[in-house]
Amino acid sequence: MFRKSPTGTWLPARVPGSTNGLAVLLVLCSVVQSTTGGYDGSMLNGLNILPSYTDYFHLNAATTGLNTASVFIGGFFGPMAAGPMTDHLGRRPAMFWGSLITIIGIILQTAAQNIAMFVVARILLGFGQGISAVAAGVYLSETFPTRWRAWGVGLLNDFYYVGALIAAGITLGTGQWQSTWAWRVPSLFQAIFSIICIIILPFVPESPRWLVHEGLFEEARLVVAQTNADSDLANPIVLTVYKEIVDTLKWEKKQGRTMSPKEIIKTPAARRRMLIGMSAGPFSCVAGNIIASYYLGSELDTAGITDSIDQLKANVVLNVWCLGCALAGTHLIAKWGRKSTALLSESLLVICLFVIGGLSKMYADNPDTASKSLIYGDVAVMFLFQGFYSIAWTPLLFLYPSEVMNYSIRANGLAFSTFMLNALAVLLVFVMPIGLENIGWKMYMVNGSWDIVIIVLIAVYWVETKGRTLEEMDAIFEGEKHSSVPDVEAVRLGKATVDLTVLEEEVSNIAKQAPVKID
């Protein structure tokens, strides 16, 4: 049974009465964003192996990097628009417009006649993806219950590998076609994920935090009930979550917090939240995965696997492995914590990168006499590296920033994290094929050195966010929680109780008060 859910925007919603059913739709609506991104990375990985693609555009190392990295140029500018769009239009409308722009870019990419058209199309595609990713990350973190947030937002990026796996399978299937459709068909199929998102949007509610911000109190309470207790407005968890959201936004208003991008550097606490939260983007980008994510063919060349069909098969197997590791990592993050999982993953990456570098050097020194065990050992460690990367960075990329940042800076802060990721990716994706061509195995050593620095920064500066609502993060960064209700998880687990009569009276008076809108 579907029930109308007021959204405060032009995009209406009728949502399932079951909280579990709604949770499924929330995941489906948001994960298609990362599926698009994963599909794009794996598709370009496959296309860069296909002669029908490389010969059609007459690619060399520089133009290969340009064709591939151009999506990050759009991703560089997309987040600039994403923050204001997400805050002022609403989370769901921002996802809609981002998905629509992505579809337009994909159509142009499929019809590309030359490098210039292909690059422009991918810039537009990246722009739409940038908007959608930020809006989806903010939306899911603000809408999912605390107990499901790690899985809900983690899956947002875990499905990168679902898209990558689909693309790897499609490019493997079309790889032997003797026409440009060998790469145009995989390109066109990429649009299906954004289309699915647009179809599902009318069946999920608006973020309750955005609704409270807009002064739509009763509407926000209904959404909290829909996402936590099968639409039971009197449920103690619903009343606690709702009161906590309203109290915290009221406090932000009294402190003069606004939705301006300047807010991210306005106070010491905001700057600390910003630096810690946004670090997930750059850290994940420089970890070393870009080589295998976009240039697996070149990476396998350094290990002695040069047949294009063998490389495409390796691409499929790699994405199955990474998906499994990402799901296992999401479980670790939910049970063990964000910081601990990140430290474990990053330490394993350092070991793998130095081993890969050493094995690749041994092959480069004597490629004609290199043993099969050396080649397969190098490939095995490459696969381990991608799996270890997936354990932490895949689920944390959107989860950690959205948890660390408070409401007034969440959209702009996540946008800035995505902006920095794409800014680095534009450089690294362009440089990697040139670096591999000129210094080969030494690129792995450079990446390993970066990762050691990242381990130190995480150990010293990151905070643990496991088990807290978004509003309860204030206790870490502001020194106190800004609501009188007990912590939500304590209430849910029976460790704390609330007086339902008093709480109902308090929340009933909220709708009669002045709006909490923060302009």
Side-chain angles (χ1 to χ4, degrees):
M1 179 179 178
F2 287 78
R3 178 179 178 180
K4 183 178 180 181
S5 180
T7 65
T9 71
W10 62 268
L11 187 59
R14 296 189 69 87
V15 307
S18 165
T19 291
N20 291 335
L22 177 55
V24 171
L25 287 180
L26 286 171
V27 169
L28 289 176
C29 181
S30 295
V31 297
V32 289
Q33 309 300 337
S34 58
T35 306
T36 302
Y39 186 96
D40 185 78
S42 183
M43 181 189 72
L44 261 293
N45 219 341
L47 298 193
N48 285 330
I49 297 171
L50 294 180
S52 61
Y53 167 77
T54 57
D55 293 346
Y56 181 81
F57 290 110
H58 306 291
L59 298 178
N60 53 37
T63 52
T64 296
L66 177 62
N67 268 16
T68 306
S70 53
V71 72
F72 292 107
I73 299 174
F76 181 89
F77 292 105
M80 294 182 183
M85 285 180 66
T86 303
D87 281 335
H88 295 290
L89 299 181
R91 284 27 175 162
R92 293 162 66 253
M95 292 171 64
F96 173 86
W97 292 115
S99 298
L100 185 60
I101 293 171
T102 300
I103 292 170
I104 295 171
I106 290 169
I107 292 172
L108 292 176
Q109 176 182 266
T110 302
Q113 301 298 307
N114 50 52
I115 289 178
M117 186 174 177
F118 193 85
V119 168
V120 170
R122 288 184 58 73
I123 291 174
L124 190 60
L125 189 163
F127 185 82
Q129 277 187 275
I131 295 172
S132 297
V134 171
V138 173
Y139 172 69
L140 209 56
S141 68
E142 292 183 348
T143 307
F144 257 106
T146 303
R147 68 185 186 277
W148 294 342
R149 192 177 62 235
W151 273 103
V153 186
L155 285 175
L156 166 64
N157 209 39
D158 288 350
F159 269 61
Y160 178 99
Y161 293 113
V162 174
L165 181 59
I166 294 171
I170 291 176
T171 53
L172 178 60
T174 65
Q176 299 185 52
W177 293 6
Q178 301 301 313
S179 72
T180 62
W181 287 106
W183 61 267
R184 294 189 195 274
V185 166
S187 175
L188 183 61
F189 190 85
Q190 188 176 4
I192 192 66
F193 309 111
S194 295
I195 293 172
I196 292 173
C197 178
I198 291 175
I199 291 173
I200 296 175
L201 277 175
F203 302 102
V204 293
E206 185 52 80
S207 158
R209 286 150 175 100
W210 187 85
L211 290 170
V212 169
H213 167 264
E214 297 298 305
L216 301 171
F217 298 107
E218 291 302 315
E219 293 84 347
R221 181 178 175 181
L222 175 59
V223 173
V224 172
Q226 290 170 333
T227 55
N228 284 271
D230 295 331
S231 302
D232 181 4
L233 294 170
N235 184 282
I237 298 295
V238 172
L239 293 172
T240 305
V241 171
Y242 175 61
K243 184 67 163 49
E244 193 177 71
I245 293 171
V246 173
D247 287 346
T248 303
L249 281 177
K250 276 178 166 286
W251 178 84
E252 290 194 24
K253 179 186 177 183
K254 290 179 180 178
Q255 294 295 310
R257 306 289 172 86
T258 71
M259 307 307 294
S260 168
K262 294 180 181 179
E263 194 66 39
I264 62 179
I265 58 171
K266 189 175 181 180
T267 65
R271 290 192 291 270
R272 185 183 174 211
R273 286 181 189 259
M274 182 63 196
L275 288 173
I276 294 175
M278 63 78 61
S279 66
F283 285 178
S284 68
C285 185
V286 303
N289 72 302
I290 280 180
I291 299 176
S293 294
Y294 283 91
Y295 300 112
L296 179 63
S298 298
E299 185 176 32
L300 292 174
D301 284 342
T302 67
I305 298 178
T306 57
D307 181 75
S308 62
I309 299 301
D310 288 341
Q311 290 181 354
L312 288 171
K313 291 178 181 177
N315 193 21
V316 173
V317 175
L318 175 62
N319 284 293
V320 174
W321 160 244
C322 288
L323 175 60
C325 289
L327 294 174
T330 304
H331 177 74
L332 279 179
I333 286 168
K335 297 296 183 181
W336 195 19
R338 285 57 159 163
K339 182 175 180 177
S340 300
T341 305
L343 286 172
L344 171 65
S345 178
E346 198 68 17
S347 299
L348 293 172
L349 293 185
V350 171
I351 296 172
C352 285
L353 282 169
F354 285 127
V355 171
I356 293 171
L359 293 176
S360 296
K361 181 181 185 301
M362 292 173 63
Y363 173 80
D365 289 343
N366 297 288
D368 295 329
T369 59
S371 66
K372 288 289 185 181
S373 59
L374 173 63
I375 294 173
Y376 292 138
D378 198 0
V379 174
V381 181
M382 290 178 184
F383 274 52
L384 285 175
F385 172 86
Q386 284 297 102
F388 294 152
Y389 173 92
S390 303
I391 287 174
W393 291 121
T394 300
L396 282 178
L397 187 58
F398 290 101
L399 173 64
Y400 194 67
S402 61
E403 289 184 327
V404 167
M405 299 173 191
N406 61 324
Y407 183 84
S408 60
I409 69 170
R410 186 169 295 121
N412 286 314
L414 182 56
F416 188 74
S417 176
T418 308
F419 168 85
M420 290 300 299
L421 185 155
N422 283 286
L424 283 170
V426 168
L427 173 64
L428 294 176
V429 173
F430 182 78
V431 166
M432 283 300 177
I434 300 173
L436 286 169
E437 186 176 283
N438 287 280
I439 63 173
W441 61 270
K442 295 179 183 177
M443 286 297 298
Y444 303 110
M445 302 303 187
V446 172
N447 272 248
S449 301
W450 292 342
D451 286 355
I452 292 174
V453 176
I454 291 173
I455 290 173
V456 175
L457 293 175
I458 292 173
V460 173
Y461 294 108
W462 273 33
V463 300
E464 186 52 66
T465 59
K466 175 180 175 288
R468 297 175 183 263
T469 66
L470 300 180
E471 287 68 37
E472 289 161 8
M473 303 298 176
D474 284 1
I476 297 176
F477 294 97
E478 307 286 350
E480 62 178 339
K481 177 181 171 181
H482 300 108
S483 179
S484 59
V485 297
D487 287 353
V488 172
E489 283 300 285
V491 174
R492 187 178 70 84
L493 296 173
K495 298 178 180 179
T497 59
V498 294
D499 188 321
L500 293 180
T501 302
V502 173
L503 197 52
E504 178 64 48
E505 183 178 352
E506 290 178 352
V507 300
S508 295
N509 291 328
I510 290 173
K512 303 175 184 177
Q513 301 170 0
V516 189
K517 189 172 182 178
I518 307 172
D519 294 317

